[in-house]
Every structure is written in C-alpha cells, then in structure tokens.
Amino acid sequence: MPTTNTQRVRKSSSSSMPIFILHAHKIVVFCSAAIFTCLFAVNLFLVTDLEKQNIGANDPWQIQTPAIHKNNVNDNQVEFDTNDNNNNNTATNPVIDYFRRAGVELDNDSIESLPTWSQIESIIGKKPVFRGLDTCETFRQTVPPLGRMLGSAGMFNSGTNLVTRLMKENCVIPERFNKYAPDGSKEDYGIRWQCPWGKHTPANFKNNHTAPKNEEIIKDHCLPIVTVRNPFDWMVSMCNIPYTARWPHHRICPHLVEMSSNGKKVPVGVKVKLAEQWLNFDSLANLWNEFYAQYYRDFEYPYLIVRFEDLTFRQYETTKTICECAGGVVKPQNMFKYIIKSAKQGPGHGKVSERTGMVEAWIKYGQPKQVKGGFSDEDYDAANELLSHEFMESMGYKYPPPAPII
C-alpha cells in the first residue's frame, strides 16, 4: 500500500527543540526531545482532503452526506472513469497502476500473468453493477443518522468477508463517528459484520430470526449489503467449500441433474442449514436463484446487491458507492485501504494456502470462462435452464461459451 503517513516538523513557541507530529491512521504522536513524553490521540482516519478544505474545522466529519451516484431505473450500472491502455508500458498501465495504489509490488511473473484491463472489462463489463440503488434514498430518509448501520449479507463464497473488510477499513457514518470517536469501535461507527438477522440468513427470515448478540439492534436500521457472484464460479467454489450445504457432488461438480430410472433428467436436491434449520432446494442453481430473489423480489426494505467481481477489481469505486448509499463517508482514494490478502480469516474457510489474495484473484478471475464453464454437458444445459436469466442479465453476468460445433 502506498505510504500514507506524513511527517511534519514544527518549532515549539517556548523552545527551540523540534516537535515531531506523525500522522498514522490519525494516530497523532507528539514527542519532545527534551521530555520523552508522547500523547496519543487516536482517530479512525488519516488527515483528509476535507481537512485541507477546512470543512468543519473542529471536526471534519461533520459534513453533509455526499450525493450518491444516480441510477437509472432501467440501468443498474454506475459509470466510473477508466483508462483502457495496453500492457506494453507499465508506467501507464491501469492494471499495474491499480496495484501500485494498493501498495503491491509485482514481480515480472505476476505482471505477465495478470490480465489487461480490456480483458477484465470484457468479462465483467465497463461499469460496476448494483441492484437496489433506488432504495438508498429511502434508507437515508427513514433511518436517523445516528441509527444507520451497514452489514453484509449473501450466500457462502459470495464475498461477504471481503465487503465487510472493505467497509470496516474505509467507511464511517459521520454522525456516529462524531459521537463515538476517538474510542469507538467500527460497529460504533456504523459498520457491522452482519445485519441482525444474520449474513447468510435468507431475507424472508428477517423478522423472525436474530443472530446471537444482535438482540438489541433495530433491524430496520441496518442496510444489508448483499454480495453476489457469477453463479458458474460460485457453484465451483461451493463444491470446494460447501459450508453447511449438502448434496452429492464429490465426483461431479456441480451435479445439478442426474438421470432417473426412467431415463429422464431430474434436479439433484440440496439441503443447507441456514438460520439454525435445514432448508431444501431443488438444486444448487435454485439455491442461488432463491436466496437473491428474496431480496430483489420480496424484500420490503432498502437493500443493495453488489457483485463480488466489482469488489475484486474495483475496490475503491464500489466501496464508495456502498458507503454513500447509507449516508456514509469513505476515505479519499489516496488514503484508501485496499484488501490485499484473502479476506477470509480464521478457521472454517478451507486451507490457508488455498485462499485467494488480490493478485491471485485478478489472475484467476480475469481470465475468459472455460468452455461450458468446465461443466459436463448435462450440468451446462441444466444451468442454462435453471438459473434465473433475468437476474443474471440485470447483474451483467454472461453464460460461459458452449462447446464449438465440429
């Protein structure tokens, strides 16, 4: 990550000895050479452009909620400026520049393996894609600033840990920050690990299920940030780490259908433990469909669906849109904390050696999809039949190419 600490040397009015003021995540250290005494004033953010503009001289976070990106009812995409350069000149390459801003030094092998920005855009599109942006204003109008919270939601393997890390490192609800700083927690500042009903809990359970230690939280005050992932990649990840999902997939992945005794294809059922109970779905594809439909089709409250791919390839722009949706403020880009290592920490997420950091994710997910997504003919045809075409299209997802006709 680029060095963001700044050091200033000032002269004391009462002494010629210098006083050093070091800003590190706005940890301000005052040290005198004559008296070895340090006073620490701890806040969440570095000195920001807002301070330079003298907005709220006493407290720069007492600012008006910034306007979010407008979203057309018929277009879930948000425009961001990008430069589409080739990889011939590393000094002007937007991919290399992205990693420089994140503080990642790339070796030659990594540079050669990384996709170009044009290749990335050919897979995920030219803009981040959201669903539910039209509910952001309702959330800000109906939830008092001091009550506003954001929390992750989404299926297993969809990026819930990544979005949580990005938000906790870079976003605050300014009114809550002003009240609880400098000693508040990230949750005091409005960024929760999950919404009170649980991050993997289906939305229809919102009012009758409460995650542990969330009993005192007002559920309507939490904006769910719902992560979704290209279902073909997601199903492969579920085969590798199924968490509480159970279905026969060890020999065939994702095993969406099988042949019945009378020679007909029938879906392979999946059961998954969510909200402390076992739920049944017709297939893994139907689980993906239904989990997200309960937000965009059934949910009567504000929500925001965000793509795992945008969290991976456009961390700053995507985090900014999410944060501002809830009335929050994000760090300026030159102070933004990129998530470089795998966002999955602790046990329960597979082998540590197999977890994917930023460089590995760009190389892995920036490549064109395999023919049929690597699925068997039966599973590829079943995926095309079972997955929600409407939802996939609205999120900018494409089906992998079919096998060439010989």
Side-chain angles (χ1 to χ4, degrees), residues 211-383:
K213 301 181 180 180
N214 284 265
E215 293 79 7
E216 304 301 320
I217 305 299
I218 300 175
K219 292 180 177 180
D220 290 352
H221 287 186
C222 187
L223 178 71
I225 308 303
V226 188
T227 54
V228 66
R229 186 175 177 184
N230 184 302
F232 286 86
D233 294 333
W234 174 78
M235 286 189 278
V236 172
S237 289
M238 287 294 291
C239 288
N240 294 331
I241 308 177
Y243 292 95
T244 65
R246 301 289 181 266
W247 82 106
H249 65 274
H250 300 293
R251 291 187 300 105
I252 304 174
C253 174
H255 201 189
L256 300 177
V257 292
E258 61 186 1
M259 300 300 293
S260 67
S261 57
N262 59 6
K264 293 184 178 181
K265 293 180 182 178
V266 295
V268 175
V270 174
K271 68 175 184 177
V272 56
K273 192 173 185 180
L274 302 170
E276 287 80 53
Q277 59 185 288
W278 289 100
L279 305 177
N280 294 302
F281 298 87
D282 291 339
S283 70
L284 194 62
N286 293 109
L287 169 59
W288 187 85
N289 289 343
E290 183 61 21
F291 185 92
Y292 294 104
Q294 288 191 18
Y295 277 102
Y296 70 80
R297 181 192 65 203
D298 302 336
F299 207 57
E300 298 179 350
Y301 307 89
Y303 68 93
L304 187 63
I305 299 178
V306 55
R307 301 190 306 180
F308 165 83
E309 294 79 11
D310 290 322
L311 293 166
T312 299
F313 293 107
R314 300 175 172 119
Q315 288 193 7
Y316 172 74
E317 295 91 337
T318 307
T319 301
K320 185 174 187 292
T321 299
I322 296 170
C323 185
E324 293 177 354
C325 174
V329 177
V330 74
K331 289 179 182 177
Q333 190 168 8
N334 65 326
M335 299 175 184
F336 187 82
K337 173 70 173 179
Y338 292 84
I339 305 304
I340 297 170
K341 298 181 179 180
S342 173
K344 292 184 175 181
Q345 303 294 321
H349 300 293
K351 297 179 180 178
V352 173
S353 61
E354 296 177 356
R355 298 178 190 176
T356 306
M358 180 189 287
V359 176
E360 295 80 11
W362 276 56
I363 294 172
K364 182 177 182 180
Y365 303 120
Q367 305 301 323
K369 290 287 181 289
Q370 297 181 56
V371 171
K372 300 183 299 183
F375 290 6
S376 67
D377 290 341
E378 292 78 13
D379 275 342
Y380 179 70
D381 292 341

Side-chain angles (χ1 to χ4, degrees), residues 122-173:
S122 71
I123 297 169
I124 68 170
K126 294 183 178 295
K127 312 170 188 177
V129 180
F130 301 88
R131 190 155 180 167
L133 275 175
D134 54 332
T135 71
C136 297
E137 185 175 357
T138 299
F139 180 80
R140 297 194 302 272
Q141 289 181 347
T142 58
V143 179
L146 283 175
R148 294 173 188 163
M149 298 170 287
L150 300 93
S152 69
M155 268 310 305
F156 311 122
N157 296 305
S158 68
T160 56
N161 290 291
L162 178 56
V163 75
T164 298
R165 290 280 307 281
L166 284 167
M167 299 304 294
K168 283 182 176 288
E169 293 287 354
N170 296 292
C171 176
V172 295
I173 302 299

Side-chain angles (χ1 to χ4, degrees), residues 17 46 65 95 172 297 326:
M17 304 300 288
L46 296 157
T65 301
V95 171
V172 295
R297 181 192 65 203

Side-chain angles (χ1 to χ4, degrees), residues 88-102:
N88 294 333
N89 186 350
T90 58
T92 59
N93 183 330
V95 171
I96 307 303
D97 183 59
Y98 185 98
F99 283 93
R100 287 197 185 107
R101 292 200 308 269

